[in-house]
């Protein structure tokens, strides 16, 4: 009878051994899964850090571009304003000159009894007045220069448009 009990114990031990081996395989599988998940987690964290750096770099680039754009817009606006002022000043000067020439022509026509214009005289008077600066024209008018009496509105820059000259 002792041989049967030994056989029984041997079978129980083999069954327990198989059970423990199965449990060990399951634990090894879980360890591998855990290691794989840790690797994925580390890769994910590395990717997050990399993307965060890239995002910060892009934010800095955007900030620099916005500053540059703002600066360039200001420079363009200032340049446009300067050019518009120059255009206005040149138009005003041109209209004043045209009005002065018209006035001088009228004055010469009125001063001639026969109504004939002498081109040389018009050119000489126009050249004289063209060579004078605006302050000189005003000074001559204030001094009572009869040749300049009709130029007061032109010299003061009160010419509004080309229609005022025609």
């Amino acid at each position: 009878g002792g041989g049967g009990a030994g056989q029984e114990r041997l079978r129980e031990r083999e069954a327990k051994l198989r059970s423990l081996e199965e449990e060990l395989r399951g634990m090894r599988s879980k360890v591998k899964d855990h290691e794989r998940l840790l690797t994925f987690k580390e890769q994910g964290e590395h990717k997050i850090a990399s993307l965060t750096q890239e995002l910060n770099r892009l934010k800095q680039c955007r900030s620099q571009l916005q500053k540059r754009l703002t600066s360039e817009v200001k420079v363009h606006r200032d340049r446009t304003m300067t050019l518009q002022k120059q255009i206005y000043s040149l138009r005003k000067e041109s209209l004043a000159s045209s009005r002065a020439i018209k006035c001088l022509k009228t004055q010469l026509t009125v001063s001639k009894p026969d109504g004939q214009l002498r081109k040389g005289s018009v050119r000489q008077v126009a050249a004289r007045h063209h060579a004078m600066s605006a302050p000189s024209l005003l000074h001559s008018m204030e001094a009572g220069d009869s040749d300049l009496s009709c130029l007061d509105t032109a010299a003061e820059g009160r010419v509004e448009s080309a229609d005022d000259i025609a």
Side-chain angles (χ1 to χ4, degrees):
Q7 287 281 345
E8 186 63 29
R9 274 197 236 146
L10 184 59
R11 275 190 233 133
E12 285 176 12
R13 284 185 179 165
E14 287 176 356
K16 185 156 181 136
L17 183 60
R18 281 192 296 268
S19 172
L20 289 174
E21 287 174 347
E22 187 65 32
E23 190 178 329
L24 182 60
R25 278 192 290 268
M27 287 186 176
R28 285 182 179 157
S29 175
K30 285 182 181 180
V31 167
K32 284 185 180 181
D33 288 344
H34 185 70
E35 288 174 349
R36 192 167 24 99
L37 290 175
L38 281 176
T39 302
F40 286 149
K41 181 183 176 211
E42 289 171 359
Q43 289 174 348
E45 288 172 351
H46 179 70
K47 186 72 171 177
I48 288 171
S50 173
L51 291 174
T52 301
Q53 283 180 335
E54 180 68 11
L55 180 62
N56 289 335
R57 188 187 67 78
L58 290 173
K59 284 180 180 179
Q60 286 178 343
C61 286
R62 183 183 68 186
S63 175
Q64 289 172 355
L65 288 174
Q66 284 176 331
K67 287 176 184 175
R68 183 173 155 199
L69 180 63
T70 301
S71 173
E72 288 178 6
V73 164
K74 184 187 180 316
V75 167
H76 177 71
R77 188 177 338 125
D78 291 347
R79 176 139 171 80
T80 300
M81 294 272 292
T82 300
L83 291 175
Q84 287 175 345
K85 286 179 183 178
Q86 288 175 350
I87 289 169
Y88 175 76
S89 176
L90 290 173
R91 282 183 181 160
K92 187 175 175 181
E93 188 179 308
S94 174
L95 291 172
S97 296
S98 297
R99 177 168 265 177
I101 290 169
K102 180 182 176 191
C103 184
L104 291 172
K105 285 181 181 180
T106 303
Q107 195 176 51
L108 284 175
T109 303
V110 171
S111 67
K112 292 282 208 187
D114 60 358
Q116 296 278 328
L117 284 178
R118 288 186 312 178
K119 290 188 178 191
S121 298
V122 172
R123 284 191 188 117
Q124 289 171 355
V125 173
R128 176 178 158 231
H129 295 297
H130 183 69
M132 298 178 90
S133 65
S136 298
L137 284 171
L138 289 172
H139 177 70
S140 295
M141 287 175 9
E142 290 168 357
D145 189 343
S146 62
D147 286 343
L148 300 173
S149 61
C150 66
L151 300 178
D152 60 344
T153 58
E156 291 173 11
R158 285 189 264 154
V159 177
E160 299 295 327
S161 69
D163 295 336
D164 292 344
I165 297 169

